[in-house]
Amino acid sequence: MTTTLEANASKARPSVGVRRFRGVLRHRVPTVIAVLMVAAFAVITVAGDKLAPMDAGAQHLRGRLLPPGSRTAAGSHLFGTDALGRDLWSLVLAGAQTIVVQAALAVVIGTAVGALLGLYCGYRGGRLGDLLILLTNLQLSFPFFLLALAVVGILGASFWLVVFVVALASWVEIARVVHIETREVCQLEYILAVRVMRGSGLRIVFRHILPNVASSILVLGALAFGNAIVIISGLGFIGLSAPSASPGWGEILSDGRDYMASAWWITITPGIAIFLLVLSVNIISEAVRDRLSPN
Amino acid sequence: MRKLLVKHIAIGLLVVFGALTLTFVLVRMSGDPTGLILPQDASAAQRAQLRAQLGIDKPLLSQYFSYLGGAARGDLGKSYFDSSSVSAVVLRYLPNTAILAAASFALTVLVAVPLGTLAAMRRGGVLDRVVQAVAVVGNSVPSFWSGLLLLQVFAVTLGWLPTFGTAGVASLVLPSVNLMLYLFPNMARLTRASVLNVLPMPYVDTARTKGASEGRVMTVHVLRNALLPVLALGGVQFGSLLGGAVLTETVFAWPGVGTLAVHSISRSDFPVVQGIVVYVAVIFAVVTVLTEVLARAANPRLRTAV
Amino acid sequence: MTSATRENDSPLLTVEQLSVEFMTPLGTVAAVNDFGLSIGRGESVAIVGESGSGKSAAMRAVLRLYPENRRTRIRGAVAFDGVQLATLSNRRMREIRGDRMALIAQDALSSLNPSLTVGYQLTEALRIRKGWSAGRCRKRAVELLDLVGIPSAAERLKDYPHQFSGGMRQRVLIATGLALDPDLLIADEPTTALDVTIQAQILQLLRDLRQETGMALVIITHDMGVVAEIAERVTVMYAGAVVESGGMRDIFTSPRHPYTEGLLNAVPRSDRRAERLASIPGSPPSPTTRPSGCRFHTRCAYARADCASVPAGLEIVAPGHASACRYWKENFHGAD
């Protein structure tokens, strides 16, 4: 006599193989697109002004605030023109260079410093590690953007100051994570063995410990890059960007505020650029994290 | 427990001290303010007189100490712009920032925590995937852009809500929503991860074996433990709202300290910027300590541990 | 060994042909296969097996603790005190659970909510079920802590689980199971995480409780020593199925299944002179890839040709004693 404690209606299920494939595909597609996007931005950064259909700085005061798709003597304006008649698409392309280079420099510096500090303090341990933690705590005890604002605002925006400030934003998280992971790795038996056999030294740090923490550094570095783009364009939005030939993305957005009712495209285009770049970087870093995590 | 509290207070004091020192150094590095205050054709005598008035003709170290002394009393100097007391100016704008912070934070918690919990409960389901996707996207949208978009759609195009100002609740809506969009991803993700952590715990099952309903299991047992890390994050987020919503305030012309900071910078009114940094440091330190106290109260395991 | 007469001879819990399957991305896992059990009022039964044998899964399925979703499939008949559990509403099932049948999980530290006081957790069931007032709950909580032998019970009500030592915590966990005076207590590995001396105390406690309250006890364990201490009847499980069941004395003195024999031989004994500890060669199969035929045949010293192809079923070998080894007669000579 079997009363069924059956808890489901058995449905026909696709085979394991098919299900797995679908799952993989679902994950892969956004990642592939993200990689392509980042590659596109890289190309733009390197060859931006040459790719622009027209001179970003050229003002056509008769062709001001034209909607996307309009044509003027200069050509077809894919995303319209701004208040000075400049082609928006060209502006965005030109602006990419400065911001991406600044962000990349800042992140490389910040990541390098953070990783080195984390590695060294984690390896030496003891008071040094506590000091590092204290330093990071101190910096994290203040809203970073306000700090950046104050520093850049008071000292005046310049290319390297912006890079320096953004590097400051990047080093903290990396230092903390690398520090913790280095400490963990140092507890592993084989590191102890190496230390006994070879004595201590930087060699050990780089040869043996670094590979273990490299994946975290990569992931955090990528995230820091996205964050850097947001900070730099944010500073530009409130007028604190380094002087340069063509306006940065933040500045274009800021200029567009006055024309929201009449020329909405000015606020959309640079924003989309920022969004797509940061999103792509975030997706890639998530994918890398999933791939490299032990489970 | 006392020991740890003291430690946090000490860090807070250190931060405030660091903020005071850092901004002092920055302002001194920015050069002679007489050029900013006096007209171009002011004579050297006038400049010297102003310098004496501002106290910047004295040696650097004594300036520093008198600044610190003043700060301890609440006196953060005078604005270059209109010579009003920096403290007074900042305190005029601070309440607005506080209101925005409170509204945004409440909104964020009301949206992120339930969604994060539901996503965890139905892991792998549609809601879960939507929440995760929204979190990734949300983290990639710069807050000033989302603010502009919100303005564009709801205020300019649809005209439902005002574009600036603080008149009434309606003007609070868009900036709060914007900040909520900014904070939502991290809070929802943390809630989700935390609930996922707690759900398989044996004590959740124990509650079921006692005959508790699912509702009771979720609230009394799961959330009570899962929300502990969320509380910690909430404290940090609220603290940062109180000093960091510069971009949102600017976009919506919300008269808080963020807007004040931006205006002061454009006017080169550095003492005010200095004052804002100091005040925010103090507030953040206080919020951090309060969050620690709350965390201890909520988590019995921390109470008896050192 | 016959048990003393009881007022009501009908069994308290009967389980027939219980099977529990989980659909995982790696395939269907049959955690429990054709499990059967019968417990009389006040009886004490041990379910023995290695990890992965399905012993915990079976009892959880009995209590309907598995979420009812597409990934879990449970079949079979479970009757408690005459009532079929399968068809009960969730509400009715919740009433039986905790009130008449209680389950105590394995690790006391993670089985008790770290954020709630022990006093609250002890009487949570009473609060939910009977709507007792705080005062009444408190009284009962003190009673329960006294019952399980925790000193200064009244003061310890406001303590949190992490403030108790391992053995005390286990007692607290047992107390939570006893709160509603259940007719049947299922203890899942109650002594596994404890020191040997504490183990003995806990087992004594369980024995005393049975004496005092007359409740039936199901002990899930992998330790034959525990079985000997407390069980009247034994069910041996391997790879999700029952391979032998019978009275404790019968099983210990005349096992009728190679696996049971192996388990008994593996227990270190001071009265035997052996140079090494006998262990069963090989290891338990993973739940996804179980051997065909008799599941134990890959590790069985007595395996014959058709053990690999013909599945084993329980056969009566003596009154109240069954074995799933088809060749039990030949293997164990029917002696003693």
Side-chain angles (χ1 to χ4, degrees), chain B residues 61-81:
Chain B
L61 217 52
S62 89
Q63 283 186 49
Y64 181 55
F65 285 121
S66 58
Y67 180 62
L68 284 183
R73 286 193 310 266
D75 172 17
L76 289 167
K78 294 209 180 30
S79 149
Y80 286 168
F81 190 63

Side-chain angles (χ1 to χ4, degrees), chain B residues 8 16 26 64 72 105 122 133 154 166 190 207-208 240 257 284:
Chain B
H8 281 283
V16 174
L26 282 176
Y64 181 55
F105 186 68
R122 290 174 209 176
F154 291 102
T166 53
L190 181 62
R208 289 198 192 106
S240 69
V257 293
F284 202 88

Side-chain angles (χ1 to χ4, degrees), chain B residues 201-203 205-206 208-213 216 220-221 224-225 228 298 300-301 303-304, chain C residues 60 65 94 97-98 103 110-116 120-121 124-125 128-129 160 162-163:
Chain B
M201 286 264 139
Y203 58 82
D205 227 17
T206 306
R208 289 198 192 106
T209 64
K210 286 193 216 163
S213 63
R216 193 192 171 88
V220 173
H221 294 271
R224 200 191 179 99
N225 288 291
L228 293 173
R301 276 172 292 187
R303 282 188 227 163
T304 46
Chain C
R60 293 177 158 262
L65 280 176
R94 279 208 301 272
R97 223 190 268 139
L103 178 88
S110 49
S111 300
L112 289 168
N113 190 328
S115 300
L116 295 172
Y120 182 90
Q121 297 190 58
E124 185 176 9
I128 307 173
R129 201 62 59 65
Y160 292 88
H162 68 273
Q163 293 173 276

Side-chain angles (χ1 to χ4, degrees), chain C residues 159-193:
Chain C
D159 283 345
Y160 292 88
H162 68 273
Q163 293 173 276
F164 288 77
S165 71
M168 289 287 153
R169 252 199 311 268
Q170 191 66 28
R171 291 169 187 261
V172 168
L173 192 58
I174 294 176
T176 60
L178 297 172
L180 286 162
D181 237 336
D183 300 317
L184 170 66
L185 183 69
I186 304 172
D188 193 345
E189 308 261 19
T191 54
T192 306

Side-chain angles (χ1 to χ4, degrees), chain B residues 180-196:
Chain B
M180 185 270 282
L181 289 174
Y182 177 66
L183 295 174
F184 167 87
N186 285 343
M187 185 160 271
R189 271 173 151 179
L190 181 62
T191 306
R192 174 184 178 276
S194 191
V195 172
L196 280 179

Side-chain angles (χ1 to χ4, degrees), chain A residues 1 3-6, chain C residues 12-15 18 58-65 68 76-97 100-101 184 186:
Chain A
M1 178 186 79
T3 314
T4 318
L5 275 174
E6 192 140 290
Chain C
L12 183 59
L13 178 73
T14 50
V15 182
L18 179 68
M59 293 322 282
R60 293 177 158 262
V62 163
L63 279 179
R64 277 178 56 184
L65 280 176
E68 278 149 29
V78 179
F80 181 79
D81 206 8
V83 179
Q84 288 293 334
L85 294 185
T87 48
L88 286 184
S89 69
N90 280 338
R91 257 185 99 227
R92 280 283 295 138
M93 188 65 220
R94 279 208 301 272
E95 282 168 24
I96 292 190
R97 223 190 268 139
R100 314 217 35 220
M101 279 204 285
L184 170 66
I186 304 172

